[in-house]
Amino acid sequence: MGEYLKVLMRAIHRRYPEIEIHEVNTDIDHIHLLVTIPPRMEVSEAVRILKCNTAKGMYRKFPYLKHV
């Protein structure tokens, strides 16, 4: 799942180039991201973009996650 997440992060970066993703690490039940966002973007907006797009991609690839 970790490798798929890295692919997903690259796709998010292509769609939102202003969010620079420097590092992605996974744990059993969460992930760590090191990102840079522009000063004009609110942190909450960047988090929303990352969470929404990551969740959609993960649920598509791993449907069983919806029931965990």
Side-chain angles (χ1 to χ4, degrees), residues 10-56:
R10 283 193 295 271
I12 291 171
H13 178 67
R14 280 194 302 274
R15 186 167 181 197
Y16 299 96
E18 65 273 14
I19 299 175
E20 295 179 35
I21 301 168
H22 300 284
E23 193 172 324
V24 178
N25 290 312
T26 60
D27 205 349
I28 293 172
D29 60 351
H30 62 278
I31 64 171
H32 297 271
L33 299 172
L34 179 60
V35 299
T36 302
I37 60 171
R40 68 181 183 285
M41 181 181 281
E42 295 181 17
V43 174
S44 61
E45 180 184 358
V47 170
R48 181 188 57 77
I49 288 169
L50 291 168
K51 286 180 74 171
C52 288
N53 287 281
T54 303
K56 287 177 188 176

